[in-house]
Amino acid sequence: MTDSELSLDTIHELIASRRRRYTLYCLYLYANPMRLADVAGRATEWEHGTPASEFLDERLAMYTSLVHIHVPKLAAADVIAYDRSDEMLELDRNAAQLRPYLERAAEIDLDETDISPL
């Protein structure tokens, strides 16, 4: 299957949410594919600035919003693929179109030690 060109409006809509950006950062920085629970944990750490184990309710809220809102939106644009049976996420065919925007956003969103491989 070939890439489909995402409009600039679609790209901006996809990266407008910090939680969607966090999901994509995880896949670029740590592992591809990656378990949804691990993405939720790391995103919670970025959002709160401390280990996710200190914010169990927030981690659950993050997981819930990812599974019901953010992952489906990214998957619908073929930016990520989501296997519900084993809850694995991986970058999909349109992910590369977002990378230049994510690189710039990561400079603002993340600590410098986190963004070097992005």
Side-chain angles (χ1 to χ4, degrees):
M1 222 181 267
T2 61
D3 295 348
S4 58
E5 189 71 30
L6 297 175
S7 72
L8 186 58
D9 288 342
T10 299
I11 290 170
H12 284 221
E13 182 180 340
L14 291 171
I15 65 168
S17 168
R18 184 176 21 167
R19 290 184 173 186
R20 286 193 291 274
R21 291 192 308 272
Y22 287 164
T23 300
L24 294 169
Y25 297 154
C26 283
L27 294 173
Y28 275 112
L29 293 170
Y30 301 114
N32 184 34
M34 191 171 183
R35 288 182 47 233
L36 181 59
D38 294 333
V39 171
R42 186 64 180 122
T44 301
E45 290 174 359
W46 281 327
E47 195 165 85
H48 294 281
T50 58
S53 60
E54 295 179 20
F55 291 95
L56 296 179
D57 289 342
E58 290 81 356
R59 183 178 181 168
L60 178 59
M62 175 71 72
Y63 177 90
T64 301
S65 74
L66 291 178
V67 80
H68 291 292
I69 300 167
H70 304 295
V71 167
K73 189 171 204 86
L74 291 167
D78 294 322
V79 173
I80 63 169
Y82 176 52
D83 184 341
R84 290 179 188 209
S85 64
D86 61 4
E87 296 196 326
M88 295 296 286
L89 303 174
E90 65 182 313
L91 296 172
D92 205 354
R93 64 182 187 217
N94 289 333
Q97 294 178 54
L98 275 61
R99 189 172 182 138
Y101 302 93
L102 289 172
E103 288 173 350
R104 177 63 181 119
E107 293 173 6
I108 297 165
D109 287 340
L110 304 178
D111 183 296
E112 284 185 24
T113 59
D114 287 327
I115 63 171
S116 57
L118 187 64

PDB file of all heavy atoms in Angstrom, residues 52-76:
ATOM      1  N   ALA A  52       5.377   7.480  36.586  1.00  0.00           N
ATOM      2  CA  ALA A  52       3.948   7.171  36.454  1.00  0.00           C
ATOM      3  C   ALA A  52       3.427   6.413  37.662  1.00  0.00           C
ATOM      4  O   ALA A  52       2.235   6.489  37.980  1.00  0.00           O
ATOM      5  CB  ALA A  52       3.690   6.373  35.180  1.00  0.00           C
ATOM      6  N   SER A  53       4.302   5.694  38.363  1.00  0.00           N
ATOM      7  CA  SER A  53       3.874   4.930  39.539  1.00  0.00           C
ATOM      8  C   SER A  53       3.341   5.835  40.649  1.00  0.00           C
ATOM      9  O   SER A  53       2.602   5.387  41.519  1.00  0.00           O
ATOM     10  CB  SER A  53       5.029   4.081  40.072  1.00  0.00           C
ATOM     11  OG  SER A  53       6.114   4.910  40.441  1.00  0.00           O
ATOM     12  N   GLU A  54       3.666   7.114  40.592  1.00  0.00           N
ATOM     13  CA  GLU A  54       3.161   8.075  41.577  1.00  0.00           C
ATOM     14  C   GLU A  54       1.797   8.638  41.180  1.00  0.00           C
ATOM     15  O   GLU A  54       1.182   9.363  41.955  1.00  0.00           O
ATOM     16  CB  GLU A  54       4.164   9.213  41.754  1.00  0.00           C
ATOM     17  CG  GLU A  54       5.484   8.750  42.342  1.00  0.00           C
ATOM     18  CD  GLU A  54       6.475   9.892  42.496  1.00  0.00           C
ATOM     19  OE1 GLU A  54       6.049  11.066  42.523  1.00  0.00           O
ATOM     20  OE2 GLU A  54       7.677   9.598  42.599  1.00  0.00           O
ATOM     21  N   PHE A  55       1.350   8.330  39.985  1.00  0.00           N
ATOM     22  CA  PHE A  55       0.098   8.879  39.457  1.00  0.00           C
ATOM     23  C   PHE A  55      -0.732   7.766  38.828  1.00  0.00           C
ATOM     24  O   PHE A  55      -1.011   7.794  37.625  1.00  0.00           O
ATOM     25  CB  PHE A  55       0.389   9.960  38.416  1.00  0.00           C
ATOM     26  CG  PHE A  55       0.990  11.207  38.973  1.00  0.00           C
ATOM     27  CD1 PHE A  55       2.362  11.384  38.978  1.00  0.00           C
ATOM     28  CD2 PHE A  55       0.183  12.195  39.507  1.00  0.00           C
ATOM     29  CE1 PHE A  55       2.928  12.535  39.492  1.00  0.00           C
ATOM     30  CE2 PHE A  55       0.735  13.354  40.021  1.00  0.00           C
ATOM     31  CZ  PHE A  55       2.113  13.522  40.022  1.00  0.00           C
ATOM     32  N   LEU A  56      -1.139   6.794  39.628  1.00  0.00           N
ATOM     33  CA  LEU A  56      -1.853   5.640  39.074  1.00  0.00           C
ATOM     34  C   LEU A  56      -3.196   6.019  38.458  1.00  0.00           C
ATOM     35  O   LEU A  56      -3.558   5.515  37.399  1.00  0.00           O
ATOM     36  CB  LEU A  56      -2.010   4.563  40.136  1.00  0.00           C
ATOM     37  CG  LEU A  56      -0.695   3.951  40.639  1.00  0.00           C
ATOM     38  CD1 LEU A  56      -0.968   2.907  41.708  1.00  0.00           C
ATOM     39  CD2 LEU A  56       0.115   3.374  39.495  1.00  0.00           C
ATOM     40  N   ASP A  57      -3.936   6.910  39.113  1.00  0.00           N
ATOM     41  CA  ASP A  57      -5.226   7.336  38.553  1.00  0.00           C
ATOM     42  C   ASP A  57      -5.031   8.087  37.244  1.00  0.00           C
ATOM     43  O   ASP A  57      -5.788   7.887  36.283  1.00  0.00           O
ATOM     44  CB  ASP A  57      -5.993   8.213  39.546  1.00  0.00           C
ATOM     45  CG  ASP A  57      -6.511   7.428  40.738  1.00  0.00           C
ATOM     46  OD1 ASP A  57      -6.596   6.185  40.668  1.00  0.00           O
ATOM     47  OD2 ASP A  57      -6.827   8.076  41.772  1.00  0.00           O
ATOM     48  N   GLU A  58      -4.012   8.934  37.204  1.00  0.00           N
ATOM     49  CA  GLU A  58      -3.729   9.689  35.992  1.00  0.00           C
ATOM     50  C   GLU A  58      -3.258   8.773  34.871  1.00  0.00           C
ATOM     51  O   GLU A  58      -3.576   8.990  33.706  1.00  0.00           O
ATOM     52  CB  GLU A  58      -2.677  10.772  36.269  1.00  0.00           C
ATOM     53  CG  GLU A  58      -3.185  11.908  37.133  1.00  0.00           C
ATOM     54  CD  GLU A  58      -3.188  11.617  38.634  1.00  0.00           C
ATOM     55  OE1 GLU A  58      -2.860  10.478  39.046  1.00  0.00           O
ATOM     56  OE2 GLU A  58      -3.529  12.538  39.387  1.00  0.00           O
ATOM     57  N   ARG A  59      -2.489   7.742  35.233  1.00  0.00           N
ATOM     58  CA  ARG A  59      -2.032   6.781  34.219  1.00  0.00           C
ATOM     59  C   ARG A  59      -3.230   6.049  33.617  1.00  0.00           C
ATOM     60  O   ARG A  59      -3.292   5.839  32.407  1.00  0.00           O
ATOM     61  CB  ARG A  59      -1.056   5.795  34.837  1.00  0.00           C
ATOM     62  CG  ARG A  59      -0.505   4.827  33.827  1.00  0.00           C
ATOM     63  CD  ARG A  59       0.490   3.884  34.444  1.00  0.00           C
ATOM     64  NE  ARG A  59       1.004   2.980  33.429  1.00  0.00           N
ATOM     65  CZ  ARG A  59       2.041   2.200  33.582  1.00  0.00           C
ATOM     66  NH1 ARG A  59       2.717   2.211  34.708  1.00  0.00           N
ATOM     67  NH2 ARG A  59       2.422   1.408  32.624  1.00  0.00           N
ATOM     68  N   LEU A  60      -4.184   5.663  34.459  1.00  0.00           N
ATOM     69  CA  LEU A  60      -5.392   5.010  33.958  1.00  0.00           C
ATOM     70  C   LEU A  60      -6.180   5.964  33.064  1.00  0.00           C
ATOM     71  O   LEU A  60      -6.676   5.562  32.008  1.00  0.00           O
ATOM     72  CB  LEU A  60      -6.260   4.514  35.113  1.00  0.00           C
ATOM     73  CG  LEU A  60      -7.577   3.853  34.718  1.00  0.00           C
ATOM     74  CD1 LEU A  60      -7.339   2.635  33.831  1.00  0.00           C
ATOM     75  CD2 LEU A  60      -8.363   3.460  35.970  1.00  0.00           C
ATOM     76  N   ALA A  61      -6.271   7.227  33.456  1.00  0.00           N
ATOM     77  CA  ALA A  61      -6.976   8.214  32.630  1.00  0.00           C
ATOM     78  C   ALA A  61      -6.261   8.400  31.295  1.00  0.00           C
ATOM     79  O   ALA A  61      -6.906   8.530  30.245  1.00  0.00           O
ATOM     80  CB  ALA A  61      -7.088   9.543  33.379  1.00  0.00           C
ATOM     81  N   MET A  62      -4.941   8.404  31.334  1.00  0.00           N
ATOM     82  CA  MET A  62      -4.159   8.519  30.099  1.00  0.00           C
ATOM     83  C   MET A  62      -4.437   7.322  29.197  1.00  0.00           C
ATOM     84  O   MET A  62      -4.714   7.476  28.007  1.00  0.00           O
ATOM     85  CB  MET A  62      -2.665   8.590  30.427  1.00  0.00           C
ATOM     86  CG  MET A  62      -1.751   8.597  29.224  1.00  0.00           C
ATOM     87  SD  MET A  62      -1.787  10.106  28.257  1.00  0.00           S
ATOM     88  CE  MET A  62      -0.918  11.205  29.382  1.00  0.00           C
ATOM     89  N   TYR A  63      -4.362   6.131  29.753  1.00  0.00           N
ATOM     90  CA  TYR A  63      -4.606   4.902  28.998  1.00  0.00           C
ATOM     91  C   TYR A  63      -6.001   4.955  28.356  1.00  0.00           C
ATOM     92  O   TYR A  63      -6.164   4.674  27.168  1.00  0.00           O
ATOM     93  CB  TYR A  63      -4.478   3.684  29.913  1.00  0.00           C
ATOM     94  CG  TYR A  63      -4.782   2.385  29.232  1.00  0.00           C
ATOM     95  CD1 TYR A  63      -3.777   1.665  28.601  1.00  0.00           C
ATOM     96  CD2 TYR A  63      -6.076   1.879  29.210  1.00  0.00           C
ATOM     97  CE1 TYR A  63      -4.054   0.465  27.959  1.00  0.00           C
ATOM     98  CE2 TYR A  63      -6.362   0.685  28.577  1.00  0.00           C
ATOM     99  CZ  TYR A  63      -5.353  -0.014  27.958  1.00  0.00           C
ATOM    100  OH  TYR A  63      -5.639  -1.194  27.316  1.00  0.00           O
ATOM    101  N   THR A  64      -6.983   5.336  29.142  1.00  0.00           N
ATOM    102  CA  THR A  64      -8.370   5.384  28.664  1.00  0.00           C
ATOM    103  C   THR A  64      -8.513   6.385  27.522  1.00  0.00           C
ATOM    104  O   THR A  64      -9.146   6.088  26.499  1.00  0.00           O
ATOM    105  CB  THR A  64      -9.319   5.732  29.821  1.00  0.00           C
ATOM    106  OG1 THR A  64      -9.175   4.739  30.847  1.00  0.00           O
ATOM    107  CG2 THR A  64     -10.766   5.782  29.365  1.00  0.00           C
ATOM    108  N   SER A  65      -7.916   7.564  27.675  1.00  0.00           N
ATOM    109  CA  SER A  65      -8.040   8.557  26.597  1.00  0.00           C
ATOM    110  C   SER A  65      -7.283   8.115  25.349  1.00  0.00           C
ATOM    111  O   SER A  65      -7.734   8.366  24.232  1.00  0.00           O
ATOM    112  CB  SER A  65      -7.567   9.938  27.058  1.00  0.00           C
ATOM    113  OG  SER A  65      -6.172  10.014  27.165  1.00  0.00           O
ATOM    114  N   LEU A  66      -6.153   7.438  25.530  1.00  0.00           N
ATOM    115  CA  LEU A  66      -5.425   6.935  24.364  1.00  0.00           C
ATOM    116  C   LEU A  66      -6.252   5.901  23.612  1.00  0.00           C
ATOM    117  O   LEU A  66      -6.398   5.975  22.390  1.00  0.00           O
ATOM    118  CB  LEU A  66      -4.076   6.342  24.771  1.00  0.00           C
ATOM    119  CG  LEU A  66      -3.016   7.319  25.264  1.00  0.00           C
ATOM    120  CD1 LEU A  66      -1.749   6.572  25.669  1.00  0.00           C
ATOM    121  CD2 LEU A  66      -2.707   8.386  24.240  1.00  0.00           C
ATOM    122  N   VAL A  67      -6.802   4.935  24.339  1.00  0.00           N
ATOM    123  CA  VAL A  67      -7.511   3.833  23.676  1.00  0.00           C
ATOM    124  C   VAL A  67      -8.832   4.283  23.041  1.00  0.00           C
ATOM    125  O   VAL A  67      -9.222   3.768  21.999  1.00  0.00           O
ATOM    126  CB  VAL A  67      -7.707   2.638  24.630  1.00  0.00           C
ATOM    127  CG1 VAL A  67      -8.866   2.837  25.586  1.00  0.00           C
ATOM    128  CG2 VAL A  67      -7.877   1.348  23.876  1.00  0.00           C
ATOM    129  N   HIS A  68      -9.487   5.281  23.635  1.00  0.00           N
ATOM    130  CA  HIS A  68     -10.806   5.678  23.124  1.00  0.00           C
ATOM    131  C   HIS A  68     -10.786   6.885  22.188  1.00  0.00           C
ATOM    132  O   HIS A  68     -11.702   7.035  21.371  1.00  0.00           O
ATOM    133  CB  HIS A  68     -11.763   5.964  24.280  1.00  0.00           C
ATOM    134  CG  HIS A  68     -12.146   4.732  25.031  1.00  0.00           C
ATOM    135  ND1 HIS A  68     -12.918   3.731  24.498  1.00  0.00           N
ATOM    136  CD2 HIS A  68     -11.832   4.315  26.286  1.00  0.00           C
ATOM    137  CE1 HIS A  68     -13.080   2.761  25.378  1.00  0.00           C
ATOM    138  NE2 HIS A  68     -12.423   3.080  26.471  1.00  0.00           N
ATOM    139  N   ILE A  69      -9.764   7.730  22.299  1.00  0.00           N
ATOM    140  CA  ILE A  69      -9.753   8.969  21.512  1.00  0.00           C
ATOM    141  C   ILE A  69      -8.540   9.051  20.585  1.00  0.00           C
ATOM    142  O   ILE A  69      -8.673   9.148  19.365  1.00  0.00           O
ATOM    143  CB  ILE A  69      -9.778  10.205  22.439  1.00  0.00           C
ATOM    144  CG1 ILE A  69     -11.039  10.199  23.303  1.00  0.00           C
ATOM    145  CG2 ILE A  69      -9.670  11.496  21.634  1.00  0.00           C
ATOM    146  CD1 ILE A  69     -11.015  11.192  24.448  1.00  0.00           C
ATOM    147  N   HIS A  70      -7.362   9.045  21.172  1.00  0.00           N
ATOM    148  CA  HIS A  70      -6.158   9.414  20.430  1.00  0.00           C
ATOM    149  C   HIS A  70      -5.630   8.328  19.498  1.00  0.00           C
ATOM    150  O   HIS A  70      -5.269   8.621  18.353  1.00  0.00           O
ATOM    151  CB  HIS A  70      -5.080   9.885  21.416  1.00  0.00           C
ATOM    152  CG  HIS A  70      -5.562  11.011  22.262  1.00  0.00           C
ATOM    153  ND1 HIS A  70      -5.885  12.246  21.738  1.00  0.00           N
ATOM    154  CD2 HIS A  70      -5.839  11.085  23.589  1.00  0.00           C
ATOM    155  CE1 HIS A  70      -6.321  13.037  22.698  1.00  0.00           C
ATOM    156  NE2 HIS A  70      -6.300  12.355  23.837  1.00  0.00           N
ATOM    157  N   VAL A  71      -5.583   7.097  19.959  1.00  0.00           N
ATOM    158  CA  VAL A  71      -5.115   6.007  19.101  1.00  0.00           C
ATOM    159  C   VAL A  71      -6.046   5.817  17.893  1.00  0.00           C
ATOM    160  O   VAL A  71      -5.560   5.710  16.764  1.00  0.00           O
ATOM    161  CB  VAL A  71      -4.911   4.707  19.909  1.00  0.00           C
ATOM    162  CG1 VAL A  71      -4.731   3.507  19.007  1.00  0.00           C
ATOM    163  CG2 VAL A  71      -3.716   4.859  20.846  1.00  0.00           C
ATOM    164  N   PRO A  72      -7.368   5.798  18.084  1.00  0.00           N
ATOM    165  CA  PRO A  72      -8.235   5.663  16.895  1.00  0.00           C
ATOM    166  C   PRO A  72      -8.053   6.794  15.881  1.00  0.00           C
ATOM    167  O   PRO A  72      -8.096   6.556  14.672  1.00  0.00           O
ATOM    168  CB  PRO A  72      -9.650   5.673  17.480  1.00  0.00           C
ATOM    169  CG  PRO A  72      -9.482   5.163  18.871  1.00  0.00           C
ATOM    170  CD  PRO A  72      -8.160   5.715  19.333  1.00  0.00           C
ATOM    171  N   LYS A  73      -7.825   8.011  16.363  1.00  0.00           N
ATOM    172  CA  LYS A  73      -7.635   9.141  15.448  1.00  0.00           C
ATOM    173  C   LYS A  73      -6.342   8.970  14.640  1.00  0.00           C
ATOM    174  O   LYS A  73      -6.324   9.189  13.431  1.00  0.00           O
ATOM    175  CB  LYS A  73      -7.603  10.447  16.238  1.00  0.00           C
ATOM    176  CG  LYS A  73      -7.625  11.671  15.379  1.00  0.00           C
ATOM    177  CD  LYS A  73      -7.818  12.901  16.237  1.00  0.00           C
ATOM    178  CE  LYS A  73      -8.403  14.019  15.474  1.00  0.00           C
ATOM    179  NZ  LYS A  73      -9.818  14.085  15.354  1.00  0.00           N
ATOM    180  N   LEU A  74      -5.259   8.568  15.308  1.00  0.00           N
ATOM    181  CA  LEU A  74      -3.994   8.333  14.603  1.00  0.00           C
ATOM    182  C   LEU A  74      -4.099   7.134  13.661  1.00  0.00           C
ATOM    183  O   LEU A  74      -3.548   7.148  12.560  1.00  0.00           O
ATOM    184  CB  LEU A  74      -2.859   8.135  15.603  1.00  0.00           C
ATOM    185  CG  LEU A  74      -2.455   9.372  16.408  1.00  0.00           C
ATOM    186  CD1 LEU A  74      -1.556   8.981  17.572  1.00  0.00           C
ATOM    187  CD2 LEU A  74      -1.787  10.397  15.520  1.00  0.00           C
ATOM    188  N   ALA A  75      -4.799   6.104  14.084  1.00  0.00           N
ATOM    189  CA  ALA A  75      -4.966   4.911  13.250  1.00  0.00           C
ATOM    190  C   ALA A  75      -5.817   5.215  12.014  1.00  0.00           C
ATOM    191  O   ALA A  75      -5.530   4.711  10.924  1.00  0.00           O
ATOM    192  CB  ALA A  75      -5.577   3.780  14.060  1.00  0.00           C
ATOM    193  N   ALA A  76      -6.844   6.037  12.165  1.00  0.00           N
ATOM    194  CA  ALA A  76      -7.701   6.379  11.030  1.00  0.00           C
ATOM    195  C   ALA A  76      -6.932   7.114   9.934  1.00  0.00           C
ATOM    196  O   ALA A  76      -7.268   7.008   8.757  1.00  0.00           O
ATOM    197  CB  ALA A  76      -8.887   7.228  11.497  1.00  0.00           C
TER     198      ALA A  76
END
